[in-house]
Amino acid sequence: NMLWEEYVLVQLKKAARNHEGIQVFGQRSKSFWPGVSIRPDIIIETQNDICVLDTKWKNIKHYNPSAQDLRQMYVYNDYWKDDSKPANSILLYPTTAETKLPDYKQFVERKHFCAIGKLNILNDQSLDPKIGHEILEEWLQIS
């Protein structure tokens, strides 16, 4: 799981160099409860919004994440938004099939959403160096 997270983070940071006004951060923390903090895997910040990205090294079928994963993303959205920028999130899972980014679902009666994406990190049996660009381009289309 840590390798998957680190690979996505490094590729996103490389891709962000080509986009002015985009910053990518790994493992940013915020206080959640006395003595307890929350720390999503990756934060993508643009001039208009914040994307909380959480990588999950598990196989999901038919884009049905666990209730626990959805609750986690809901809390991230709530804690990372600010008065000038909404926060939305992406749960990102690995796949060996064709990349499918992402399927957007809005939380019921809320203005923020969580996208579910499956990402193939391979390109002809090698690691795909363009996955960071794919994620950013998809995010920029909706932000």
Side-chain angles (χ1 to χ4, degrees):
N1 192 45
M2 290 180 357
L3 184 58
W4 166 239
E5 174 188 330
E6 187 67 23
Y7 184 71
V8 171
L9 175 62
V10 167
Q11 294 305 316
L12 278 168
K13 284 185 173 189
K14 286 180 183 177
R17 292 182 203 147
N18 298 327
H19 296 277
E20 189 172 323
I22 294 179
Q23 294 180 297
V24 177
F25 306 96
Q27 298 287 321
R28 285 185 118 178
S29 295
K30 285 195 176 187
S31 291
F32 179 68
W33 187 262
V36 177
S37 63
I38 55 176
R39 185 176 56 218
D41 296 340
I42 300 167
I43 302 288
I44 303 169
E45 193 167 338
T46 70
Q47 295 174 354
N48 301 321
D49 64 2
I50 296 167
C51 173
V52 180
L53 197 146
D54 206 58
T55 58
K56 300 291 185 187
W57 186 255
K58 52 184 159 180
N59 186 15
I60 62 166
K61 296 179 181 177
H62 310 294
Y63 290 88
N64 291 322
S66 71
Q68 182 178 349
D69 288 349
L70 290 172
R71 287 182 192 111
Q72 179 183 16
M73 301 317 285
Y74 184 88
V75 169
Y76 287 163
N77 285 354
D78 189 55
Y79 271 73
W80 261 264
K81 71 180 180 191
D82 66 29
D83 292 337
S84 63
K85 293 182 185 181
N88 293 293
S89 53
I90 299 175
L91 279 165
L92 190 60
Y93 300 90
T95 184
T96 56
E98 182 178 330
T99 293
K100 184 162 181 175
L101 282 173
D103 182 21
Y104 301 99
K105 303 279 190 220
Q106 189 165 338
F107 288 105
V108 176
E109 298 182 20
R110 298 293 182 260
K111 294 181 181 177
H112 56 91
F113 65 83
C114 179
I116 310 302
K118 289 186 176 182
L119 186 64
N120 187 347
I121 62 170
L122 297 177
N123 181 7
D124 293 329
Q125 306 301 319
S126 298
L127 290 175
D128 185 354
K130 296 181 182 180
I131 66 166
H133 294 283
E134 289 180 40
I135 296 168
L136 281 184
E137 290 303 321
E138 184 64 37
W139 184 255
L140 292 173
Q141 288 179 17
I142 60 147
S143 66

